[in-house]
Amino acid sequence: MDRTFPSLLARMQELKDLGGVIGLATWDQETFLPAKAEGARAHQLSTLQGLYHERLVDPRLGEALAWAAGQKTLDADQQAMVRVLTHERDRAVRVPQALVKALAEAQSHGLAAWRQARKEKRFALFQPALERMLALRREQADAYGHDGERYDALLEGYEPGMRVSRLTPVLTALRDALIPMVATLAAAPRKVENLLEGRRFDTEAQWRFTLKLLAAVGFDLEAGRQDRSIHPFTGGTHPQDVRLTTRLDETNPLSAFFSTIHEAGHGLYEQGFDEAHYRTPLAAAPSMGLHESQSRLWENVVGRSRAFWEHFFPPLAQAFPEALAGVGLEGFLAAANRVSPSLIRTEADEVTYNLHIVLRYELELLLIHDELPLSEVPAAWNERMQRYLGVTPPDDAQGVLQDIHWAWGELGYFPTYALGNLYSASLFRAAERALPDLNAQLRRGELLPLREWLRVHVHRQGYRLPAEALIQQVTGRGLTDTDFLAYLREKYGALYGVKL
Amino acid sequence: MDRTFPSLLARMQELKDLGGVIGLATWDQETFLPAKAEGARAHQLSTLQGLYHERLVDPRLGEALAWAAGQKTLDADQQAMVRVLTHERDRAVRVPQALVKALAEAQSHGLAAWRQARKEKRFALFQPALERMLALRREQADAYGHDGERYDALLEGYEPGMRVSRLTPVLTALRDALIPMVATLAAAPRKVENLLEGRRFDTEAQWRFTLKLLAAVGFDLEAGRQDRSIHPFTGGTHPQDVRLTTRLDETNPLSAFFSTIHEAGHGLYEQGFDEAHYRTPLAAAPSMGLHESQSRLWENVVGRSRAFWEHFFPPLAQAFPEALAGVGLEGFLAAANRVSPSLIRTEADEVTYNLHIVLRYELELLLIHDELPLSEVPAAWNERMQRYLGVTPPDDAQGVLQDIHWAWGELGYFPTYALGNLYSASLFRAAERALPDLNAQLRRGELLPLREWLRVHVHRQGYRLPAEALIQQVTGRGLTDTDFLAYLREKYGALYGVKL
């Protein structure tokens, strides 16, 4: 048995290396994989994931972790490594192999059924697959264990430490504040238009501008790369090998710019992990919500701000002299920040976005609790869309079938997007307090002081603390919607000329 | 214990998947890996290789293979799978872990010493590392086992089934035929010049032309890709995911064209494996020499032929109207086929190339046999260069230190290049007999009938037979220099207007 920390560390490193290689194979799948190789890659990934699982549940690792948990001589970081890996391992061990297999099959089947249902715009075609997936996920939640709230056990997979009892009051208050805010903005006398519509923006020039943005935020292209993919994402194999993708759309340059800044936010987080944590469980974010806080902070709080574009609009106008003719800074800011209740979550603005999330969170709770007949899900979706956003999907494809998450069985994932938004505003508020010159720096295009502050207070911490404890440590208080709502009120009140 | 073929097959598939992922991580290392990620990638590769080795030497695999070897109900392909994997496993099992580790350290140290020695052009700086490596490789050869000829045990790692007793007479005869041929060509009254020197060829146009070449030879870009790297190579993860690289040099377009055709030859082999063999040990070439026969056949026998360029020179001239002004087909063929004894193997022409190989093979035998004091290696190298090619390296960097192979401990590898050349000529001769219209097809740019013939007779065979047995089956006789020498005499006699 391994009764030394170095031998336990070697197991941690092996797991991290395997995770890195899974990251490479996944990144490659979305960027450079030849079309005919999809089947081969699925086999390769399945083999890698099987090996990862085998190593993780290896009883000898369990014994080594149990031994290490009792060692008082380990330093704080070593103890945190043991804690984090034990948590991951305990969850993996609790799910029986037969259930792991059934879930994988249900995912594969669910994905196919969802694609077909979406194509035919009929939720009924997806319903049996979703029913099967929900039954399995409930079973999995019970295998993980919980205090009577099954959803907690699923949430734990994305947002360790978060609980329904903590989350529901915050998201409900957020919802109740946002609904009237959306209505007020819709009724505002000042109209905010998107002047970019109908114009064409050369995609090569867009690409070059995204590289300027990466340089400005301090994403290290010697420790990462940017490529193109259909759906932008951040992947990679290691903090020194962080891979972003962006999407280039000739008719919508905002897509590339904000995708790049969003993914760079994720990427800066990964690149910012402490070198001492490389190849250990601490070189990781403590939660999806905290990871998302970094992408949202850069994309929205910084990247859609007036201060940011006061510096970056002139070079942008220079890069697109014809396409941006007559737009100007004000026109561009309006296009980037226009609030408009819409059907599709991924296209939603900052104000309406969280209402899409709350809707999904509420339905997920009902589904996991088995309190909503599946045949009524589309109606429940549409009714909430109308109530929260004032719009009703014309069909299921633009409604309940729009996201891949449920097909994939990812219940518990959606709320982390809202947590990311809330945390991003709280962190930026804390940064403003710590860096009195921050706004002036942004206006001068100096983004590195903010990156450095985030690096020290968030990135380098890695997985030492759970997400909310880290937020508490950095901002002085835990999860709250106060900073986010204040941010929206100030920014959108000014943009629309109304009091929110 | 696994006493069914499907469970053994699952182990084969897992190994092949792991091998594929090692292929991906290696390919990525040479193409897209960020500079700072080199250390992380070395760790990831080491972890993957360790897992591969662990699975390979797993006693349960040994038991399953032993069981399968006794099963009469397996079909011929299944028996071949068992034979091939048993061979690979037996070799891996025979090398003690301590020696594996010592070899890896000697490689790493050897590489560093070689780089430094090459930089300073002093073999003496590399000598201690080479001495250590030779001692370890002799030890490894003895661990593998042999009939008194240690070199055989190393050769077996690259060219299974080949023996020094078989190889030396062929390579010696080849040497003795080539030396006077080179002299005759040097003295030929007709001069063959390289008119391309001093011209500049747009690298983007070169790239586009390499894509045309790939399409023409039938390399499937939906089951593979081409990228750029410093040293061209063929990698990938699976027969449907074959990855070539090429090199673009503004001053030397032949580098890109012939690199692409060469690697496409390797790539067509990989893409041509039988679907029934995917993810099994049979989806592999039986030897490096046979793999090289495919690249050499396409690069040299086809790609440097008059027939080939009768079709492809017109579009080439159209792609480079200024750079090729005044060159013409004859001038281009001369540039592509000029024979000129030179110092560097990788830049050598078809006639002199094998002399570089024979020189290395002879020295490797002396080194493994411990019959040449290491301090005398540079002198032995230079003396042979003068005797075989009539040139003497001005320093060790352009002589004995030019190749990475010995630093990496790859003794036994060089002769496979010569085998590739010999096999390529024999295979092409056989193709000419089978396809009476072949030459006319080449002149029309119709390369698919040749690819199809190779696919049926070589590629789809995979690793069913050892290399020479396959050559025997396809050409009617085994290893010989007859076809290669006849090919050189005919082609270069005509080009230089001499009788060879």
Side-chain angles (χ1 to χ4, degrees):
Chain A
M1 212 202 92
D2 300 334
R3 285 193 181 275
T4 66
F5 192 78
S7 66
L8 174 57
L9 183 63
R11 287 182 181 273
M12 294 175 171
Q13 291 171 332
E14 185 185 57
L15 280 169
K16 206 76 182 177
D17 287 342
L18 269 177
V21 173
I22 291 170
L24 177 66
T26 309
W27 166 83
D28 183 76
Q29 193 173 31
E30 302 298 323
T31 50
F32 294 125
L33 190 74
K36 291 181 184 169
E38 274 183 32
R41 180 53 47 85
H43 283 304
Q44 290 156 359
L45 273 167
S46 167
T47 289
L48 286 173
Q49 280 150 351
L51 277 168
Y52 186 94
H53 183 80
E54 177 194 299
R55 299 308 239 219
L56 183 62
V57 303
D58 184 340
R60 288 168 299 180
L61 176 59
E63 287 163 25
L65 287 168
W67 164 81
Q71 296 305 303
K72 304 292 177 218
T73 56
L74 300 185
D75 67 28
D77 272 8
Q78 291 171 328
Q79 289 179 31
M81 290 173 197
V82 171
R83 202 167 54 236
V84 170
L85 186 54
T86 299
H87 179 264
E88 181 187 354
R89 184 174 182 282
D90 283 352
R91 279 175 65 87
V93 166
R94 284 179 192 165
V95 185
Q97 268 308 300
L99 180 53
V100 171
K101 192 155 172 268
L103 277 161
E105 283 163 6
Q107 277 191 331
S108 165
H109 179 61
L111 215 55
W114 172 74
R115 289 211 170 102
Q116 188 60 32
R118 199 169 176 227
K119 197 172 154 194
E120 299 192 24
K121 306 178 183 181
R122 286 172 55 204
F123 176 79
L125 296 178
F126 175 54
Q127 187 178 320
L130 180 59
E131 186 158 15
R132 168 83 177 139
M133 180 57 86
L134 286 168
L136 291 171
R137 287 288 270 163
R138 286 187 206 110
E139 193 182 333
Q140 190 185 27
D142 293 345
Y144 285 141
H146 51 79
D147 303 336
E149 173 51 82
R150 273 178 172 153
Y151 194 87
D152 280 346
L154 303 183
L155 190 55
E156 183 74 10
Y158 312 103
E159 198 68 24
M162 187 47 66
R163 296 289 175 266
V164 168
S165 57
R166 173 108 188 90
L167 191 54
T168 298
V170 176
L171 293 190
T172 305
L174 179 65
R175 177 196 71 190
D176 294 342
L178 289 176
I179 293 173
M181 197 184 290
V182 171
T184 303
L185 291 173
R190 186 188 299 166
K191 294 301 166 209
V192 173
E193 303 294 349
N194 183 359
L195 291 179
L196 306 186
E197 268 171 24
R199 300 172 185 241
R200 298 202 163 266
F201 297 78
D202 176 65
T203 52
E204 283 308 309
Q206 287 187 37
W207 176 258
R208 287 193 298 272
F209 198 77
T210 65
L211 293 180
K212 279 188 193 169
L213 293 172
L214 288 180
V217 301
F219 180 80
D220 183 353
L221 280 164
E222 295 204 338
R225 2 184 336 108
Q226 181 179 257
D227 295 281
R228 300 169 195 195
S229 70
I230 296 172
H231 302 289
F233 69 98
T234 299
T237 78
H238 184 275
Q240 291 180 304
D241 183 19
V242 179
R243 305 188 179 201
L244 320 178
T245 68
T246 193
R247 167 177 46 201
L248 301 177
D249 174 352
E250 200 186 32
T251 66
N252 179 11
L254 298 183
S255 172
F257 303 154
F258 292 118
S259 289
T260 286
I261 306 176
H262 178 99
E263 303 307 335
H266 285 302
L268 289 173
Y269 197 170
E270 298 278 324
Q271 288 188 338
F273 292 139
D274 194 328
E275 274 186 53
H277 296 165
Y278 288 179
R279 302 178 75 221
T280 82
L282 294 193
S287 81
M288 306 282 296
L290 203 66
H291 222 310
E292 193 74 4
S293 78
Q294 299 306 293
S295 56
R296 295 296 184 164
L297 186 152
W298 286 103
E299 176 196 352
N300 289 340
V301 188
V302 173
R304 293 183 196 269
S305 71
R306 173 175 298 274
F308 182 86
W309 290 104
E310 280 181 13
H311 176 82
F312 283 101
F313 186 74
L316 183 73
Q318 218 162 17
F320 299 95
E322 291 176 28
L324 285 177
V327 173
L329 174 62
E330 298 306 322
F332 184 80
L333 283 171
N337 288 293
R338 186 164 174 265
V339 176
S340 172
S342 62
L343 298 170
I344 306 298
R345 174 184 61 87
T346 57
E347 297 166 6
D349 56 80
E350 281 183 280
V351 181
T352 59
Y353 186 90
N354 289 304
L355 288 169
H356 291 269
I357 297 304
V358 175
L359 176 157
R360 285 155 177 78
Y361 173 65
E362 291 171 349
L363 292 183
E364 286 192 350
L365 280 172
L366 292 171
L367 289 170
I368 290 295
H369 296 163
D370 206 2
E371 292 169 354
L372 177 66
L374 278 182
S375 59
E376 294 175 23
V377 172
W381 180 288
N382 294 349
E383 184 272 326
R384 274 181 173 74
M385 282 299 288
Q386 186 59 44
R387 188 144 48 92
Y388 298 169
L389 288 161
V391 294
T392 295
D395 56 51
D396 291 346
Q398 294 177 74
V400 65
L401 291 174
Q402 69 184 264
D403 297 302
I404 198 170
H405 301 57
W406 293 351
W408 203 243
E410 301 273 28
L411 289 102
Y413 190 124
F414 281 123
T416 71
Y417 294 124
L419 289 171
N421 289 324
L422 301 185
Y423 285 154
S424 74
S426 295
L427 285 171
F428 191 79
R429 234 356 96 99
E432 284 181 315
R433 287 193 298 269
L435 305 171
D437 200 30
L438 179 56
N439 236 286
Q441 287 164 346
L442 296 186
R443 278 199 301 273
R444 293 194 298 267
E446 294 168 16
L447 308 175
L448 298 188
L450 175 59
R451 188 202 68 166
E452 191 54 28
W453 185 86
L454 289 166
R455 183 152 283 183
V456 169
H457 296 279
V458 180
H459 306 174
R460 292 182 71 82
Q461 302 305 313
Y463 203 158
R464 279 185 177 131
L465 292 176
E468 197 179 353
L470 180 62
I471 288 289
Q472 171 81 38
Q473 176 175 293
V474 183
T475 70
R477 63 176 164 183
L479 175 64
T480 174
D481 61 0
T482 310
D483 296 320
F484 181 70
L485 286 171
Y487 157 75
L488 290 187
R489 287 192 180 105
E490 188 182 337
K491 175 173 174 178
Y492 290 92
L495 184 67
Y496 278 81
V498 291
K499 179 156 169 40
L500 293 173
Chain B
M1 213 204 93
D2 300 334
R3 286 192 181 275
T4 67
F5 193 78
S7 67
L8 174 57
L9 183 63
R11 287 182 182 272
M12 293 175 173
Q13 291 170 331
E14 186 185 56
L15 280 169
K16 206 75 180 178
D17 287 343
L18 270 177
V21 173
I22 291 170
L24 176 66
T26 309
W27 166 83
D28 183 75
Q29 193 174 32
E30 302 297 325
T31 50
F32 294 124
L33 189 74
K36 290 180 184 169
E38 274 183 30
R41 180 53 47 85
H43 284 305
Q44 289 156 0
L45 273 167
S46 168
T47 290
L48 286 173
Q49 280 150 352
L51 278 168
Y52 185 94
H53 182 81
E54 178 195 298
R55 300 308 241 217
L56 182 62
V57 303
D58 185 340
R60 288 168 299 179
L61 175 59
E63 286 164 25
L65 287 169
W67 164 81
Q71 297 304 304
K72 305 291 175 219
T73 56
L74 299 186
D75 67 27
D77 271 8
Q78 291 172 328
Q79 289 178 28
M81 289 173 198
V82 171
R83 202 168 51 235
V84 170
L85 187 53
T86 299
H87 178 265
E88 181 188 353
R89 185 174 182 281
D90 283 351
R91 279 175 65 87
V93 166
R94 285 180 192 164
V95 185
Q97 269 306 300
L99 181 52
V100 171
K101 194 156 171 266
L103 277 162
E105 283 164 5
Q107 277 190 330
S108 164
H109 179 61
L111 216 56
W114 171 73
R115 289 210 170 101
Q116 189 60 32
R118 197 167 177 229
K119 196 171 153 197
E120 299 193 23
K121 307 179 182 180
R122 286 173 54 204
F123 176 79
L125 295 179
F126 175 52
Q127 186 179 319
L130 180 58
E131 185 159 15
R132 168 81 178 142
M133 180 56 87
L134 286 169
L136 292 171
R137 287 288 269 163
R138 286 188 206 111
E139 193 182 332
Q140 190 186 25
D142 294 344
Y144 285 141
H146 51 79
D147 303 337
E149 174 50 82
R150 273 178 171 153
Y151 194 87
D152 280 347
L154 303 184
L155 190 55
E156 184 74 9
Y158 312 103
E159 197 68 26
M162 186 48 65
R163 295 290 174 266
V164 168
S165 57
R166 172 109 189 88
L167 191 55
T168 297
V170 175
L171 292 190
T172 303
L174 178 65
R175 178 196 72 189
D176 294 342
L178 289 177
I179 293 174
M181 196 185 290
V182 171
T184 303
L185 292 172
R190 186 187 299 167
K191 293 302 165 207
V192 174
E193 303 294 346
N194 183 358
L195 291 178
L196 306 185
E197 267 171 26
R199 299 170 185 244
R200 297 202 162 267
F201 297 78
D202 177 65
T203 53
E204 284 308 309
Q206 288 187 37
W207 177 259
R208 287 193 298 272
F209 199 77
T210 64
L211 294 180
K212 280 188 192 169
L213 293 172
L214 288 180
V217 301
F219 180 81
D220 182 353
L221 281 164
E222 294 204 340
R225 5 185 333 109
Q226 181 179 257
D227 295 281
R228 301 170 195 192
S229 69
I230 296 171
H231 302 289
F233 68 97
T234 298
T237 79
H238 183 277
Q240 291 179 303
D241 183 19
V242 179
R243 306 190 179 199
L244 320 178
T245 69
T246 193
R247 168 177 46 201
L248 301 176
D249 175 352
E250 200 186 30
T251 66
N252 179 12
L254 299 183
S255 173
F257 303 155
F258 292 118
S259 290
T260 287
I261 306 177
H262 178 99
E263 302 307 335
H266 285 303
L268 289 173
Y269 197 170
E270 298 277 326
Q271 288 188 337
F273 293 139
D274 193 329
E275 274 186 53
H277 296 166
Y278 288 178
R279 300 178 77 221
T280 82
L282 294 193
S287 82
M288 308 282 294
L290 203 66
H291 222 309
E292 193 72 5
S293 78
Q294 299 306 292
S295 55
R296 295 297 183 164
L297 187 154
W298 285 102
E299 176 196 353
N300 288 340
V301 187
V302 173
R304 293 183 197 269
S305 71
R306 174 175 297 275
F308 182 86
W309 290 104
E310 279 181 13
H311 176 82
F312 283 101
F313 186 74
L316 183 73
Q318 218 162 18
F320 298 95
E322 291 176 30
L324 284 177
V327 172
L329 173 62
E330 298 306 321
F332 185 80
L333 282 171
N337 288 294
R338 186 164 172 266
V339 176
S340 172
S342 63
L343 298 170
I344 306 298
R345 174 183 61 86
T346 57
E347 296 167 8
D349 56 80
E350 281 183 280
V351 181
T352 59
Y353 187 90
N354 288 304
L355 289 170
H356 290 270
I357 298 303
V358 175
L359 177 158
R360 285 156 177 77
Y361 173 65
E362 290 171 348
L363 292 184
E364 286 191 351
L365 281 171
L366 292 171
L367 289 170
I368 291 296
H369 296 163
D370 207 0
E371 291 169 354
L372 177 66
L374 278 182
S375 60
E376 293 175 22
V377 172
W381 180 289
N382 294 348
E383 185 272 327
R384 275 182 172 74
M385 283 298 289
Q386 186 58 45
R387 189 143 47 93
Y388 299 168
L389 287 162
V391 294
T392 295
D395 57 49
D396 291 346
Q398 294 178 73
V400 65
L401 291 174
Q402 68 184 265
D403 297 303
I404 200 171
H405 300 58
W406 293 352
W408 203 242
E410 302 273 29
L411 288 102
Y413 191 124
F414 280 123
T416 70
Y417 293 124
L419 289 170
N421 289 324
L422 301 186
Y423 286 154
S424 74
S426 295
L427 286 170
F428 191 78
R429 236 351 99 96
E432 285 181 316
R433 286 193 299 269
L435 306 170
D437 199 32
L438 179 57
N439 236 287
Q441 287 165 344
L442 296 186
R443 276 199 302 273
R444 292 194 299 269
E446 294 168 16
L447 308 176
L448 298 187
L450 174 60
R451 188 201 69 165
E452 190 55 28
W453 184 86
L454 289 166
R455 182 152 282 183
V456 170
H457 296 279
V458 179
H459 305 172
R460 292 183 71 83
Q461 302 305 314
Y463 203 157
R464 280 182 174 135
L465 292 176
E468 197 178 353
L470 180 62
I471 288 290
Q472 171 80 40
Q473 177 176 294
V474 183
T475 70
R477 63 178 163 182
L479 174 63
T480 174
D481 61 359
T482 309
D483 296 320
F484 181 69
L485 287 171
Y487 158 73
L488 289 188
R489 286 194 182 103
E490 186 182 340
K491 174 172 173 179
Y492 290 93
L495 185 67
Y496 278 82
V498 290
K499 178 155 170 40
L500 292 172

